Amino acid sequence: MNHPQGAASAIAARPKPWLLDLVLLGALWGASFLFMRIAAPEFGALPAAALRVGIAAVFLLPLMLLRGHGAALAQHWKPTLLIGVLNSGLPFAFFCFALLTINTGLAAVINATVPMFGALIAWAWFRERPSGSRMLGLVIGFAGVALLASRSAGLHAGATGDHAALWAVLACLAACLCYGVAASATRRHLGGVPPLATAAGSQLGATLFLALPALWFWPAQIPSLRAWLALLALGVACTGLAYILFFRLIERAGPARALTVTFLVPVFAVFYGAVFLGEHVTAWMLGCAAVIVCGVALSTGLVKLGAQKDARA
């Protein structure tokens, strides 16, 4: 009689196979801010972003062809390339620009607002009106960003001026808005397309979009080996491998659980910045980060207030 209960307990206690993917993805995307922070000052924002997506495209396209998804990309190449601009080209350039001024941890905390922008865009595009608790989360989350932007605590050494911090924060928010639009556009125009085809095609689209601006703003001085290695890590690990992990995580755990990687990315980014760059983490940044995380948790539905009432609304 007790044997089935014991077996059920053993199964429940068994580690979930997707947990490793979740933690690894958080570590990779957290490291992307570190590598952008290293590469952008030497390459410039646009060349650094262009090389990142170019390396990722070179890495992903052969894998896509080996999996036999070339026909899918050829059939949907227009929306795929355009979504690449919104989901990679513009956001990566915005973050590289912001990291010329602010710390990696601050940029990663603002990046955690992506699900909130996604909820707003879905509301406007698909008429998916958020519940009461989600609306409250949007207000709390954006209030946290406003508080974070009100001080220049996240400026790194050598960057001065409140206006510089403000422009950097606005660039991060613009990147998050691009991610939100790209998510709804992908849902609208690329439903049923193999994820690897979408990932590879989007990086190709971002590369084509950034190629000429990157050449125009190419640095006069040859960047160091350290900066080149940072970009190689960005393209292969933080973009190519991360995409594969992310789509596998969606398959194994579902979109809702995959979304929780948003909470891990700032943790890893702050850790990397403090250990490898000596960045200072202030109490104000941690407090604002807690406010933003609470807002994201509510706005994405991961945490609900008065769930039954919202369900009836």
Side-chain angles (χ1 to χ4, degrees):
M1 294 293 294
N2 293 331
H3 180 70
Q5 290 182 348
S9 299
I11 293 174
R14 187 179 304 164
K16 303 294 190 297
W18 51 267
L19 281 177
L20 180 60
D21 285 351
L22 182 71
V23 175
L24 184 55
L25 182 61
L28 286 173
W29 276 347
S32 69
F33 292 91
L34 168 67
F35 293 131
M36 283 189 288
R37 173 70 184 86
I38 293 173
E42 295 194 40
F43 280 94
L46 288 172
L51 285 171
R52 175 181 180 177
V53 295
I55 293 170
V58 171
F59 176 77
L60 287 169
L61 283 170
L63 293 178
M64 179 203 68
L65 294 174
L66 287 174
R67 295 289 297 271
H69 298 318
L73 176 59
Q75 184 178 355
H76 301 89
W77 68 271
K78 288 183 179 180
T80 303
L81 297 185
L82 179 59
I83 286 171
V85 175
L86 291 172
N87 198 50
S88 297
L90 286 173
F92 293 171
F94 283 137
F95 274 121
C96 284
F97 168 78
L99 286 165
L100 295 174
T101 303
I102 61 176
N103 289 341
T104 58
L106 179 57
V109 168
I110 299 174
N111 182 65
T113 63
V114 168
M116 295 194 303
F117 279 100
L120 282 175
I121 298 299
W123 184 11
W125 197 332
F126 297 103
R127 299 294 186 268
E128 294 180 354
R129 185 179 183 277
S131 62
S133 61
R134 289 193 172 196
M135 286 292 292
L136 177 62
L138 291 171
V139 173
I140 292 174
F142 286 115
V145 173
L147 290 171
L148 196 61
S150 67
R151 296 189 182 183
S152 57
L155 288 173
H156 58 66
T160 58
D162 292 337
H163 291 298
L166 178 60
W167 282 112
V169 169
L170 288 176
C172 291
L173 291 174
C176 296
L177 177 61
C178 288
Y179 284 138
V181 174
S184 289
T186 300
R187 173 181 170 185
R188 185 67 172 267
H189 299 290
L190 295 178
V193 179
L196 190 54
T198 302
S202 65
Q203 297 310 299
L204 178 60
T207 302
L208 295 174
F209 173 74
L210 289 174
L212 287 179
L215 289 174
W216 183 264
F217 290 100
W218 194 259
Q221 185 175 354
I222 299 176
S224 66
L225 177 61
R226 180 171 179 259
W228 279 104
L229 291 176
L231 274 179
L232 184 63
L234 262 176
V236 175
C238 301
T239 308
L241 288 178
Y243 263 116
I244 295 173
L245 271 177
F246 182 61
F247 291 127
R248 189 169 74 176
L249 184 61
I250 291 176
E251 289 181 5
R252 290 183 172 184
R257 287 195 177 117
L259 191 64
T260 59
V261 72
T262 302
F263 303 108
L264 292 177
V265 172
V267 176
F268 281 102
V270 169
F271 173 77
Y272 295 143
V275 172
F276 296 106
L277 300 176
E279 294 179 347
H280 183 54
V281 181
T282 66
W284 180 259
M285 287 175 60
L286 293 176
C288 292
V291 173
I292 292 172
V293 167
C294 289
V296 172
L298 285 169
S299 64
T300 57
L302 293 175
V303 175
K304 297 181 181 180
L305 300 178
Q308 292 182 347
K309 182 177 179 180
D310 287 342
R312 292 193 297 266

